């Protein structure tokens, strides 16, 4: 990954807040301090000068400056609006300070606001001009030349700019390291995923070639031999046909074994009982420290392997989400078998999340960009391929409910309209 240039860091596209303090969220505190100092400076001016001829314009200028400070929260953060606000407030403050030096103290929060809004060099220029205004205003009040009135503001402004410039450079260097680390982790995850997929393809290719391929080749040779000798040696031909049939049964068993190896391990030995397989998944999750319960309602008859596989993988992935993200104290998995549909509900009382389609799509795009799974949209796509539907109900602070619905056929078996039989992605890769 190429490091970002300084200009790219200080001027993100379309964002009008580009200062070195932009990431630090203390704008409301600066606003309050600035307003308070304007009010106190106005009171000080009245106490020192009374109701002279300049009192009305000075107090009017102070009021305008207060209004400008209050309006900061209403200024759009895009485009040139923040910079325009900063420059207008600086000009108002400079004019007021040259007339009434009591307002010189307002330069402190205003300088921080400038550092938060403007890029470094424009901010440095603005703070230098503000320092000059403070020096000129203070010298006007001094009968004799006082060098501290010049050196003090310059030293404070210089130290402030240098300190925050160093902090900015350190923050950018740290962010660059984090970006490079994230990119490296994404590349490593993608490489591992590709390597795993290639290894699995190679394993399946070897198994099919060494078992099913050899059996089919033997069947072909036996049938060809029996066809050639059917008239001259009928008994030998029949024996060859019987051998071909036995080889075909062996090949069928091998195909079933390969398909079974692609299914979740929880389904082995379940004798077609999906509730028993789900109970084992829940038991494993509970063994990892999750307080999760399993409830089964109705009688789930023979469920097709792809549908059972999708349900098992979804439950496993959802419970992994609960453990990793939800910070939940309790979760419940409910399987309900009805005459016309098979329903699975997974509920937790965790922190929840924004389940609106736009937010979920953005989250899925972010996960794809980091090399991780597609999350809940990936679960929904897998279930939709099998004729089912996934519904999500969640909101921040209100927990999460996932509901899977599969229609059942007239014989009570799950629908599989597209005939999908392939393996599913690892549910551990699917996260909210």
């Amino acid at each position: 990954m190429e490091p970002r240039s300084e200009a790219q860091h200080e001027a993100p596209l379309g964002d009008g807040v580009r200062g070195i303090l932009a990431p630090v969220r203390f704008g409301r505190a600066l606003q309050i301090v600035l307003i308070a100092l304007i009010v106190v400076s106005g009171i000080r001016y009245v106490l020192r000068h009374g109701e002279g001829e300049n009192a009305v314009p000075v107090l009017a200028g102070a009021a305008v400056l207060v209004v400008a400070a209050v309006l900061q929260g209403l200024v759009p953060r895009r485009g040139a609006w923040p910079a325009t606000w900063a420059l207008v407030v600086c000009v108002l403050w400079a004019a007021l300070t040259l007339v009434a030096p009591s307002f010189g103290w307002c330069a402190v929060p205003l300088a921080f606001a400038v550092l938060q809004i403007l890029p470094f060099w424009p901010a440095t220029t603005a703070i230098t001009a503000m320092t000059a205004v403070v020096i000129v205003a203070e010298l006007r009040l001094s009968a004799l030349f006082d060098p501290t009135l010049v050196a003090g503001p310059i030293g404070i402004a210089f130290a402030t700019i240098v300190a925050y410039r160093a902090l900015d450079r350190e923050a950018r260097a740290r962010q660059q390291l984090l970006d490079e680390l994230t990119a490296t982790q994404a590349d490593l995850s993608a490489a591992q995923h590709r390597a795993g997929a290639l290894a699995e393809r190679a394993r399946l290719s070897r198994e099919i070639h060494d078992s099913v391929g050899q059996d089919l080749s033997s069947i072909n040779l036996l049938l060809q031999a029996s066809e050639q000798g059917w008239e001259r040696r009928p008994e030998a031909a029949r024996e060859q046909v019987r051998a071909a049939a036995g080889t075909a049964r062996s090949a069928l068993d091998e195909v079933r074994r390969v398909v079974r190896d692609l299914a979740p391990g929880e389904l082995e030995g379940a004798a077609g009982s999906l509730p028993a397989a789900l109970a084992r998944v829940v038991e494993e999750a509970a063994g990892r420290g999750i307080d999760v319960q399993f409830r089964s309602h109705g009688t789930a008859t023979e469920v097709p392997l792809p549908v059972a596989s999708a349900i098992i993988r979804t439950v496993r992935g959802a419970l992994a989400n609960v453990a990793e993200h939800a910070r939940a104290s309790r979760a419940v998995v409910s399987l309900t078998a009805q005459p016309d549909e098979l329903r699975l509900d997974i509920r937790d009382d965790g922190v929840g999340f924004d389940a609106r389609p736009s937010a979920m799509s953005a989250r899925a795009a972010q996960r794809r960009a980091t090399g991780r799974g597609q999350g809940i949209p990936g679960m929904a796509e897998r279930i939709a391929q099998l004729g089912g539907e996934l519904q999500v109900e969640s909101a921040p602070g209100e927990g999460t409910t996932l509901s899977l619905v599969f229609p059942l056929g007239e014989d009570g078996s799950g629908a599989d309209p597209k005939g999908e039989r392939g393996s599913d992605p690892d549910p551990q890769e699917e996260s909210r």
Side-chain angles (χ1 to χ4, degrees):
M1 172 180 289
E2 296 181 357
R4 294 182 301 173
S5 66
E6 182 174 312
Q8 288 174 326
H9 174 77
E10 293 179 348
L13 182 63
D15 195 342
V17 181
R18 302 172 293 176
I20 63 177
L21 294 182
V24 184
R25 301 302 181 186
F26 64 124
R28 180 58 60 86
L30 286 179
Q31 185 184 44
I32 294 174
V33 172
L34 178 60
I35 294 173
L37 285 178
I38 294 173
V39 173
V40 173
S41 298
I43 295 174
R44 181 180 185 273
Y45 180 85
V46 173
L47 293 177
R48 291 292 183 90
H49 303 282
E51 299 180 358
E53 59 180 3
N54 290 332
V56 173
V58 167
L59 294 180
V64 172
L65 196 58
V66 168
V67 172
V70 171
L71 292 178
Q72 181 185 8
L74 303 179
V75 174
R77 292 178 60 85
R78 296 285 179 177
W81 288 103
T84 302
W85 176 88
L87 293 177
V88 168
V89 172
C90 286
V91 171
L92 290 175
W93 168 85
L96 188 60
T97 302
L98 290 176
V99 176
S102 300
F103 292 88
W105 288 103
C106 300
V108 177
L110 193 55
F112 281 100
V114 168
L115 285 171
Q116 192 178 35
I117 293 174
L118 299 180
F120 177 73
W121 290 114
T124 301
T125 303
I127 292 176
T128 300
M130 292 170 61
T131 304
V133 170
V134 172
I135 292 174
V136 171
E138 292 295 335
L139 289 178
R140 286 180 56 241
L141 297 180
S142 178
L144 300 175
F145 176 75
D146 187 349
T148 60
L149 297 179
V150 177
I154 292 177
I156 293 174
F158 179 79
T160 301
I161 292 175
V162 169
Y164 280 102
R165 183 61 168 174
L167 289 175
D168 174 58
R169 288 175 173 171
E170 181 180 355
R172 285 192 286 113
R174 184 177 304 164
Q175 184 61 46
Q176 178 181 330
L177 291 176
L178 289 175
D179 292 342
E180 292 176 353
L181 177 61
T182 301
T184 302
Q185 289 177 337
D187 293 341
L188 178 60
S189 176
Q192 290 176 340
H193 180 74
R194 288 193 297 268
L198 291 175
E200 182 64 13
R201 289 178 182 177
R203 183 188 72 83
L204 290 175
S205 177
R206 288 194 303 269
E207 289 211 13
I208 293 174
H209 176 271
D210 295 340
S211 57
V212 180
Q214 294 294 341
D215 288 341
L216 292 176
S217 178
S218 298
I219 292 171
N220 182 53
L221 292 175
L222 288 170
L223 291 177
Q224 286 179 352
S226 66
E227 182 182 15
Q228 293 173 1
W230 192 265
E231 298 293 340
R232 292 181 287 108
R233 295 184 299 171
E235 290 300 328
R238 291 188 179 91
E239 184 63 29
Q240 289 170 341
V241 171
R242 285 193 290 270
T247 304
R249 286 192 295 271
S250 176
L252 180 59
D253 292 339
E254 190 64 25
V255 170
R256 287 172 175 169
R257 184 190 67 81
V258 172
V259 173
R260 185 175 63 250
D261 289 342
L262 296 178
E266 290 82 358
L267 291 174
E268 295 183 1
S273 175
L274 180 60
L278 290 176
R280 280 195 291 273
V281 174
V282 170
E283 184 178 358
E284 290 177 3
R288 295 193 298 266
I290 305 176
D291 183 12
V292 56
Q293 298 180 1
F294 174 64
R295 301 170 182 172
S296 179
H297 309 281
T299 302
T301 57
E302 293 292 336
V303 179
L305 181 61
V307 174
S309 174
I311 292 176
I312 291 292
R313 293 186 187 279
T314 302
V315 171
R316 189 191 296 142
L319 292 181
N321 287 339
V322 172
E324 184 179 357
H325 304 290
R327 299 199 294 273
S329 61
R330 186 169 179 269
V332 177
V333 178
S334 301
L335 178 67
T336 304
Q338 298 178 352
D340 57 345
E341 69 178 20
L342 184 67
R343 184 182 186 90
L344 179 78
D345 297 311
I346 307 168
R347 302 183 182 89
D348 68 72
D349 59 355
V351 296
F353 59 95
D354 189 352
R356 291 177 299 177
S358 58
M360 294 181 66
S361 298
R363 192 180 299 109
Q366 182 179 6
R367 294 184 59 80
R368 286 194 299 270
T370 57
R372 303 184 67 183
Q374 296 184 0
I376 292 179
M379 295 181 183
E381 181 179 358
R382 177 207 300 156
I383 293 168
Q385 289 177 348
L386 299 173
E389 181 182 6
L390 177 65
Q391 300 173 352
V392 183
E393 296 180 4
S394 184
E398 297 182 7
T400 302
T401 299
L402 299 182
S403 297
L404 287 71
V405 179
F406 284 97
L408 297 179
E410 295 179 356
D411 58 351
S413 61
D416 185 19
K418 296 187 180 182
E420 298 291 336
R421 292 296 185 270
S423 61
D424 297 305
D426 189 351
Q428 298 296 340
E429 289 293 318
E430 297 183 347
S431 301
R432 289 195 283 267

